Amino acid sequence: DAGVIQSPRHEVTEMGQEVTLRCKPISGHNSLFWYRQTMMRGLELLIYFNNNVPIDDSGMPEDRFSAKMPNASFSTLKIQPSEPRDSAVYFCASSLSDARRTRQYFGPGTRLTVT
Amino acid sequence: KQEVTQIPAALSVPEGENLVLNCSFTDSAIYNLQWFRQDPGKGLTSLLLIQSSQREQTSGRLNASLDKSSGRSTLYIAASQPGDSATYLCAVVLGSNYKLTFGKGTLLTVNP
């Protein structure tokens, strides 16, 4: 199994530009999570999908952030317009159906720098 | 609001030493607790998962314990090796939801 796949691994963009991060969860997993990691705040959950449906997006910072999961094997996190304070490492994770009982498997992350 | 604290923030030990990393949480109504390892520039790797009904889990040189009533968990690493150098994070899931709440981690350095 290839594990959770994220792309790109690194993204540098200018303030105001649109950024799209991509994630392919582990095959057979139907829970997907997007996290953000910064030095100041640590790891924070942004949004959680179950069976492709957004269950909780209360961690999404503001309307500039949006996430989609059009099918079981693909999800995107979009920031439009981007700001320097969005600079962070963004992780995607997946788990089997009951996320309370099973481990979450993390992708390698996308390091985003907004200048 | 669940808060997870890890002490110490950083730890440096000589190779071969046994060591303990600590994790505490404020809400004891957890569903499970997980320990992760994060290498620089990499994602997180799940090491151990302890369900709320369990007291400990072991994997190789790692042993994690859970005391729900006191809101504490420890990760014991036996005979540490330089390859164990990484940041170790503890995370809990509350009984009422699926969210992982993470501590800030302990940066471990094992010196050869």
Side-chain angles (χ1 to χ4, degrees), chain A residues 37 40 56 100-101 103, chain B residues 32 38 46 51 98-99:
Chain A
Q37 186 177 39
M40 288 295 294
D56 186 346
R100 295 171 300 175
R101 294 183 180 275
R103 299 183 184 192
Chain B
N32 67 49
Q38 185 173 26
S46 178
Q51 300 290 354
Y98 45 83
K99 294 182 180 181

Side-chain angles (χ1 to χ4, degrees), chain A residues 82-101:
Chain A
S82 58
E83 297 183 1
R85 60 191 168 122
D86 301 331
S87 297
V89 181
Y90 291 81
F91 290 103
C92 175
S94 70
S95 71
L96 291 171
S97 179
D98 189 343
R100 295 171 300 175
R101 294 183 180 275

Side-chain angles (χ1 to χ4, degrees), chain A residues 37-100:
Chain A
Q37 186 177 39
T38 62
M39 288 292 292
M40 288 295 294
R41 301 174 67 91
L43 266 163
E44 299 175 294
L45 178 67
L46 299 177
I47 188 168
Y48 161 53
F49 290 89
N50 186 256
N51 291 323
N52 312 338
V53 176
I55 303 300
D56 186 346
D57 64 355
S58 60
M60 297 286 261
E62 47 199 275
D63 292 345
R64 297 185 297 106
F65 285 69
S66 63
K68 294 182 179 179
M69 192 164 185
N71 57 62
S73 59
F74 184 65
S75 177
T76 60
L77 178 67
K78 183 178 294 185
I79 308 173
Q80 167 62 21
S82 58
E83 297 183 1
R85 60 191 168 122
D86 301 331
S87 297
V89 181
Y90 291 81
F91 290 103
C92 175
S94 70
S95 71
L96 291 171
S97 179
D98 189 343
R100 295 171 300 175

